[in-house]
Amino acid sequence: MTGQSILLAWYDENKRDLPWRHTHDAYSVWLSEVILQQTRVAQGTEYYYRFLHTYPDVRSLAAADEDEVLHLWQGLGYYSRARNLLKAARIVAGLGGFPNEYEQLRRLPGVGDYTAAAIASIAFGKPFAVVDGNVYRILSRFYTLAVPIDTTEGKRTYASLAQEWLPAEAPGLHNQAMMDLGATICLPRSPRCECCPLGDACMAHAEGRQEEFPKHARRKIVRTRHFVYLYLRCGSEVFLHRRGRGDIWQGLYEPMLIEFGHAPTFAEISASAHLPEGCIYRLVAKGLRHQLTHQLLVADAYVVKLTDKPGGIDGIWIDESVRSDYGVSRLVENIYNIIDGVLDEEPACQNQQ
Ligand code: SF4
């Protein structure tokens, strides 16, 4: 048996039963791949069903408006994926269906090398190998490769090795087998080498050096941002701001936000927000941490009770009962949950300037 057929036999016995594996329909495969780009399978499955239920085919998704799609996406994070999903659906609907060539798939918004290879191989049986964190881990350990994965040379080396491993007769199954092996056996920490179909030939396993691989050239730079959310309430209405271009969470809503480069005092917050003297406020969340790929957000949240709506602020006032109609980030969703738990309690402090 060759290495590929050993892997395929293992996959046949051990594959995860995932809903998108019961179809070769390009729309379903694409939807699942985009949802899973930065999301765990358990959470992604719920969203996969949600999207298929609301938009059963690419034409129905193409006809949706962006707010509706962002709202359905709420909680998954990385909202540019949702915006690209809609843009790509409109292009595909305009073409009359999904293109079956890798290069055409690759040109769709939000479809990178990995997603194009996954759709081309799984939906259309084309010989394109996927390369992601799972594949880097398996190949780097199997060959004890010293070339770092985050360099041009590393990317080229891994892409070409992954392609060499790909059996022409079953590219989709092989790619899914690599994904499952990485997700269930060749784990980042404590890989389960004793159950691995590649165990007999794996060099890192033989040398006990599994956790040394894959190699990285540089560490990720993470920027810390301090967010202060002011949940302004005036009677039954609350204030919402819609996020603009050029930053995270474009198009999503949030309470008034003030950003600092350091952890601010309330005097600094009050001065920046121009809160009227005498308004009542309450600190409801302090130091909430929200990790993004290159940013760490540290957020405080205040409920501020106003008797008059202040002028000159960029946003809308809505009745609090319809707040859930406005798509928000996961961080803001957490803050809403905290606020909803304390809203009936009396606000604690009064702004003195
Ligand atoms: S033997 Fe261990 S390290 Fe090697 S590929 Fe399998 S799980 Fe990964």
Side-chain angles (χ1 to χ4, degrees):
M1 246 186 172
T2 63
Q4 286 104 330
S5 51
I6 291 170
L7 185 61
L8 287 175
W10 170 84
Y11 179 67
D12 193 44
E13 289 267 300
N14 298 282
K15 63 175 169 272
R16 293 173 294 173
D17 184 19
L18 305 174
W20 45 89
R21 293 207 168 145
H22 299 286
T23 175
H24 292 285
D25 169 51
Y27 174 66
S28 308
V29 173
W30 165 69
L31 204 52
S32 67
E33 290 298 338
V34 174
I35 288 173
L36 294 178
Q37 277 168 5
Q38 269 121 343
T39 303
R40 285 173 296 108
V41 166
Q43 188 194 14
T45 304
E46 182 199 327
Y47 283 82
Y48 172 77
Y49 281 128
R50 199 190 274 190
F51 268 82
L52 264 194
H53 178 74
T54 312
Y55 310 116
D57 52 38
V58 75
R59 280 192 313 162
S60 52
L61 175 56
D65 76 42
E66 187 178 280
D67 270 355
E68 214 176 278
V69 174
L70 287 175
H71 194 242
L72 205 61
W73 192 268
Q74 189 172 312
L76 270 183
Y78 301 96
Y79 288 85
S80 56
R81 285 187 292 163
R83 280 187 291 274
N84 282 332
L85 194 76
L86 183 55
K87 283 188 205 154
R90 288 177 179 163
I91 293 171
V92 170
L95 293 171
F98 270 88
N100 61 8
E101 293 299 334
Y102 174 89
E103 289 304 333
Q104 290 171 288
L105 289 163
R106 181 66 184 80
R107 283 199 286 275
L108 294 173
V111 174
D113 295 342
Y114 176 90
T115 307
I119 304 170
S121 63
I122 298 168
F124 302 114
K126 303 272 166 114
F128 290 92
V130 295
V131 184
D132 71 345
N134 291 318
V135 175
Y136 282 138
R137 221 163 37 248
I138 296 165
L139 293 177
S140 63
R141 289 171 174 176
F142 190 84
Y143 293 112
T144 56
L145 289 174
V147 58
I149 58 172
D150 52 348
T151 58
T152 310
E153 189 199 348
K155 288 187 197 334
R156 204 179 304 124
T157 304
Y158 282 95
S160 111
L161 265 180
Q163 198 61 35
E164 272 175 37
W165 275 38
L166 192 78
E169 66 285 3
L173 288 177
H174 173 85
N175 280 337
Q176 292 176 92
M178 291 290 275
M179 294 176 204
D180 275 21
L181 190 72
T184 63
I185 303 287
C186 196
L187 302 166
R189 301 267 161 272
S190 310
R192 300 167 56 213
C193 302
E194 67 290 353
C195 318
C196 180
L198 308 178
D200 288 347
C202 175
M203 291 167 72
H205 176 41
E207 295 169 17
R209 298 170 60 208
Q210 297 91 323
E211 297 204 12
E212 287 179 32
F213 301 94
K215 301 280 188 194
H216 293 83
R218 31 177 191 269
R219 295 215 152 270
K220 231 171 25 187
I221 296 168
V222 175
R223 172 163 76 113
T224 302
R225 302 170 71 178
H226 293 268
F227 281 10
V228 175
Y229 280 113
L230 301 174
Y231 187 79
L232 306 183
R233 300 181 85 208
C234 186
S236 67
E237 290 186 85
V238 293
F239 174 82
L240 290 183
H241 163 76
R242 190 167 198 204
R243 294 187 65 88
R245 290 173 175 274
D247 200 352
I248 54 173
W249 303 333
Q250 181 192 320
L252 297 185
Y253 291 86
E254 62 190 1
M256 178 186 271
L257 170 66
I258 308 173
E259 183 171 349
F260 295 86
H262 58 278
T265 62
F266 187 75
E268 288 174 298
I269 296 166
S270 174
S272 302
H274 306 295
L275 292 179
E277 194 169 342
C279 75
I280 307 286
Y281 66 89
R282 176 191 184 94
L283 175 66
V284 292
K286 178 113 193 97
L288 281 184
R289 295 167 80 82
H290 189 82
Q291 183 75 61
L292 302 173
T293 313
H294 296 290
Q295 303 183 26
L296 170 66
L297 309 181
V298 182
D300 298 346
Y302 291 83
V303 173
V304 180
K305 202 169 154 191
L306 300 167
T307 45
D308 295 301
K309 294 178 191 169
I313 52 174
D314 174 22
I316 53 173
W317 288 87
I318 57 153
D319 199 275
E320 200 166 23
S321 61
V322 297
R323 193 187 66 192
S324 63
D325 293 347
Y326 294 81
V328 296
S329 65
R330 187 153 347 139
L331 173 62
V332 171
E333 198 179 352
N334 289 343
I335 289 172
Y336 280 174
N337 289 337
I338 295 169
I339 288 172
D340 291 345
V342 300
L343 265 189
D344 292 337
E345 298 169 24
E346 277 302 304
C349 311
Q350 193 162 32
N351 189 28
Q352 312 281 355
Q353 290 177 328

